Amino acid sequence: MKIMVTLKRVVDYAVKIRVKSDKSGVETHNVKMSMNPFCEIALEEAVRIKEAGLASEVVAVSVGPQQCVDTLRTGLAMGADRGIHVEATGALYPLTIAKILKKLVELENPGLLILGKQAIDDDCNQTGQMVAGLLGWPQGTFASKVLLDKDKQEVTVDREVDGGLETLCLDLPAVITHPRDDKREKQASG
Amino acid sequence: ISTLVLAEHEGGSVKAPSVSAVEAAKLLGEENSITMLLAGSGSSLQEAAEHAASCHPSVSQVLVADSDAFAYPLAEPWAKLVHLVQQRDDYSHVVAASSSFGKNILPRAAALLDVSPITDVTDISGSHQFVRPIYAGNALCTVRYSGTTPCMLTIRATSFPVTPDSADSKSNVASISQVDLSTFDKDSIGKSRYVKLTSEDTERPDLGNARIVVTGGRGLKSADNFKMLEKLAEKLGAAVGATRAAVDASFVPNELQVGQTGKIVAPELYLAFGVSGAIQHIAGMRDSKIIVAVNKDADAPIFQVADYGLVGDLFEVIPELLEKLPEKK
């Protein structure tokens, strides 16, 4: 079974952002860019599943400008087996990304698609749910724990919801989004 | 304009954030007929529908979808339901609260309807212009929706408080009707199964709409020390919150987390003990009316947003507070 993971290139979590003087957006030139921390968690989870012998390959995907290749290289260094860059410029909305991901899923046929639950730039928290809807796959959003059962072809997910932890059992293939903060954020927040 | 409000209910009543979603929907325009959609099964659903019909004077209709498919808040059947109702009635707007329920379902429903949703809206100026925080609330983004109908939003309940007189009004009771589910396509719905919900039993108020919130950070050092905060919360009639660091250190369960990725709160009084004030945490509580911070580190960023700050050891301050505060009436 293949796992596909998405990696978004965003302004580094430690950068104090500045709004452009014409108020048209947030300055991203000459600013340190990194992998979205939630995507990092998603990738770590995928690599962990593969190392447990439950997946054969981890494919990382990044959609955006040329520099996303750097984000993919970071992903490869973290344990992804292969990277796919979809070059795109201009504003990209979650619906567009979800449609691109749907196409890639149809080409690659992964058993699991794992995403970060949101990107720390636009804070949209949409893409995972949307691609799951487009594919007609079950979704386990805001997952803090993922248990894969290869024989039954299902995955049990603990979800962080307002009232506590919700446990769901999903048939594969499925979409999972991860909420847990980056280790560095843990160190940073008191 | 006509708006469909996707409502969450529990124990026979509509949850407060969903009533805030009606309050937000009101701001979309003067001539706005607001329909509340509830789904579930059994008697608690009917009770909740009756509550929905009188929970806010702006609600003109309540739609009820009664089926075992909606017994649990699973995104797959719920998103299909929104799709079905939208196809039938052609609402101009679909609104839900930015709770874990709304965030899970609404984007999926939007994908089925092929529109871009706008999540976490904090301000509405007209039917197609909205404000939402980005970069953990460090910038505010004004969004103009230019896509096809429906325009789909999730709103932050803390930004659209329901005034008591509008909520209590019994003068206007909406009609209740059942959604015809004969065309509801059950394909792909069995692919997710609800197993259980694990939550802490507590008599304290809900973190999302408590008037007072007492929060602890990593400075509390252990789960045992959090008990001190819980005592303080009980005396004040407050909810207990925590930083991500405290959650990750397993001092408290995740549902207490306040911040960019946890709950967004805006109580009258926010008391932070041993919280350094990382931007991710501030994002979740900056709208609190009065912020009080106690921290040993005088340079802690929490003091930049605090109305009252005390540089001191929380292990001395909390016991002193516990001693001096009167018993809860």
Side-chain angles (χ1 to χ4, degrees), chain A residues 22-41:
Chain A
D22 64 357
K23 308 259 181 194
S24 63
V26 168
E27 189 57 70
T28 55
H29 283 286
N30 297 317
V31 169
K32 188 184 176 205
M33 304 291 280
S34 304
M35 186 188 297
N36 177 37
F38 292 109
C39 297
E40 221 176 297
I41 300 291

Side-chain angles (χ1 to χ4, degrees), chain A residues 54-119:
Chain A
L54 297 168
S56 53
E57 191 184 23
V58 174
V59 182
V61 176
S62 192
V63 184
Q66 186 55 41
Q67 298 93 318
C68 288
V69 170
D70 299 340
T71 311
L72 283 171
R73 285 191 204 288
T74 309
L76 295 175
M78 286 172 64
D81 298 294
R82 190 149 59 84
I84 299 175
H85 176 217
V86 180
E87 193 165 351
T89 48
L92 292 164
Y93 297 98
L95 180 61
T96 321
I97 302 285
K99 287 180 178 173
I100 293 170
L101 290 176
K102 179 175 184 261
K103 279 282 172 226
L104 286 173
V105 163
E106 285 162 1
L107 290 171
E108 292 282 340
N109 288 312
L112 267 184
L113 172 62
I114 311 183
L115 305 88
K117 80 157 183 176
Q118 72 190 55

Side-chain angles (χ1 to χ4, degrees), chain B residues 137-170:
Chain B
N138 285 306
L140 293 174
C141 178
T142 303
V143 183
R144 170 164 280 277
Y145 184 73
S146 56
T148 52
T149 54
C151 169
M152 300 182 76
L153 316 170
T154 67
I155 60 97
R156 274 203 190 165
T158 49
S159 302
F160 302 95
V162 179
T163 48
D165 43 306
S166 70
D168 289 341
S169 164
K170 295 272 184 286

Side-chain angles (χ1 to χ4, degrees), chain B residues 47-317:
Chain B
E47 253 179 77
E50 278 160 38
H51 177 231
S54 61
C55 72
H56 195 291
S58 298
V59 176
S60 56
Q61 199 195 358
V62 176
L63 288 179
V64 178
D66 192 339
S67 161
D68 290 343
F70 311 120
Y72 300 105
L74 297 171
E76 296 77 11
W78 269 88
K80 283 211 164 178
L81 174 65
V82 174
H83 181 246
L84 175 94
V85 172
Q86 172 60 29
Q87 295 288 45
R88 199 192 61 186
D89 297 340
D90 197 22
Y91 297 95
S92 65
H93 293 75
V94 179
V95 182
S98 261
S99 56
S100 57
F101 170 85
K103 286 192 284 196
N104 190 36
I105 295 165
L106 191 117
R108 185 176 176 115
L112 300 180
L113 291 160
D114 197 24
V115 299
S116 281
I118 302 163
T119 40
D120 254 343
V121 168
T122 55
D123 197 13
I124 295 176
S125 36
S127 61
H128 288 87
Q129 192 159 313
F130 315 101
V131 175
R132 60 183 302 274
I134 54 174
Y135 289 89
N138 285 306
L140 293 174
C141 178
T142 303
V143 183
R144 170 164 280 277
Y145 184 73
S146 56
T148 52
T149 54
C151 169
M152 300 182 76
L153 316 170
T154 67
I155 60 97
R156 274 203 190 165
T158 49
S159 302
F160 302 95
V162 179
T163 48
D165 43 306
S166 70
D168 289 341
S169 164
K170 295 272 184 286
S171 57
N172 188 359
V173 177
S175 62
I176 300 175
S177 51
Q178 301 285 329
V179 178
D180 174 14
L181 295 171
S182 58
T183 58
F184 188 72
D185 168 21
K186 284 194 171 164
D187 285 357
S188 91
I189 281 171
K191 288 183 185 172
S192 61
R193 291 168 295 282
Y194 180 90
V195 181
K196 64 176 181 197
L197 178 70
T198 319
S199 61
E200 296 274 300
D201 257 342
T202 166
E203 292 185 358
R204 286 191 299 273
D206 178 51
L207 182 56
N209 40 33
R211 283 185 54 246
I212 307 177
V213 173
V214 178
T215 291
R218 208 172 33 188
L220 265 105
K221 295 201 173 86
S222 74
D224 264 356
N225 291 335
F226 248 90
K227 298 224 165 65
M228 234 169 35
L229 268 197
E230 286 164 14
K231 260 191 225 155
L232 186 62
E234 262 157 46
K235 272 200 156 179
L236 293 165
V240 173
T243 63
R244 185 81 222 185
V247 171
D248 283 335
S250 301
F251 297 170
V252 286
N254 68 280
E255 69 250 39
L256 299 189
Q257 188 203 341
V258 171
Q260 180 186 16
T261 63
K263 290 203 174 102
I264 310 290
V265 301
E268 308 271 312
L269 176 61
Y270 190 89
L271 299 153
F273 295 95
V275 173
S276 67
I279 52 166
Q280 293 82 2
H281 181 71
I282 307 266
M285 47 66 80
R286 68 162 86 229
D287 292 332
S288 305
K289 307 288 175 299
I290 296 173
I291 299 170
V292 179
V294 178
N295 202 305
K296 270 203 294 203
D297 176 8
D299 297 324
I302 188 80
F303 289 122
Q304 289 165 21
V305 295
D307 299 288
Y308 298 93
L310 177 61
V311 180
D313 186 351
L314 63 94
F315 294 105
E316 290 166 16
V317 176

